[in-house]
Amino acid sequence: MAGQPEETQRQPDIHDADDVVLNRVEEQVELTKQRVVDSHVSVTRSTIEQQEVVSTLLNKDRVEVKHVPKMQYVDEMPAIREEEGVMIVPVVEEEIHIIRKLVLKEELHIHKVQETVPFEEVVTLRKQQVQVEKTKAKENDR
């Protein structure tokens, strides 16, 4: 309609509560998370066995027993004793006489001898190795 003035929007009358419409603009934010895989890590552990020779010197004690005949009469049981690194163990026997007496039949002279002997044995040692590899993720993994 040419020449007619444009209709102006009617401003709401505050006093007329039934016709009051307030236009409101509101912005809202929505936050979402998405898991993205950008690489993979693989760890490989392996055990290696190797043979190794272990050598050392070991101390070993052995005893030498020497029977020493005595054939002596004694009045009482002799004690075990040590003389110059030799342990002496008396061995007695009773004999019947008109009078009973102890007869020292023999002594055991025990001498300790220490030797050093070589020792060698093959032992197995285990050792672990670790390898870590990092690879980029494929596009369809993301």
Side-chain angles (χ1 to χ4, degrees), residues 14 27 31 41 67 75 79-80 83 85 90 92 100 120-121 124:
I14 298 176
E27 291 183 343
L31 178 65
V41 174
H67 293 263
D75 293 326
I80 297 174
E83 294 177 3
V92 296
R100 185 186 330 188
E120 189 172 280
E121 185 173 326
T124 300

Side-chain angles (χ1 to χ4, degrees), residues 115-127:
E115 297 177 343
T116 300
V117 294
F119 171 79
E120 189 172 280
E121 185 173 326
V122 175
V123 296
T124 300
L125 300 178
R126 292 176 182 86
K127 178 176 23 175

Side-chain angles (χ1 to χ4, degrees), residues 33-88:
K33 294 182 186 180
Q34 181 179 358
R35 183 173 173 216
V36 175
V37 177
D38 65 347
S39 64
H40 296 281
V41 174
S42 66
V43 176
T44 306
R45 181 175 71 179
S46 61
T47 301
I48 298 172
E49 291 184 356
Q50 65 186 40
Q51 301 293 320
E52 193 165 312
V53 176
V54 177
S55 297
T56 189
L57 294 176
L58 301 177
N59 290 330
K60 178 173 97 173
D61 289 338
R62 64 179 175 83
V63 295
E64 295 173 350
V65 178
K66 180 178 168 186
H67 293 263
V68 179
K70 288 296 194 173
M71 297 307 292
Q72 296 174 351
Y73 290 103
V74 292
D75 293 326
E76 59 185 40
M77 177 70 165
I80 297 174
R81 64 188 188 282
E82 187 170 332
E83 294 177 3
E84 297 177 12
V86 176
M87 181 187 299
I88 299 172

Side-chain angles (χ1 to χ4, degrees), residues 102-126:
L102 294 176
V103 177
L104 177 61
K105 289 290 193 175
E106 68 177 335
E107 291 178 336
L108 297 178
H109 290 214
I110 301 171
H111 178 71
K112 188 189 322 186
V113 179
Q114 192 173 57
E115 297 177 343
T116 300
V117 294
F119 171 79
E120 189 172 280
E121 185 173 326
V122 175
V123 296
T124 300
L125 300 178
R126 292 176 182 86

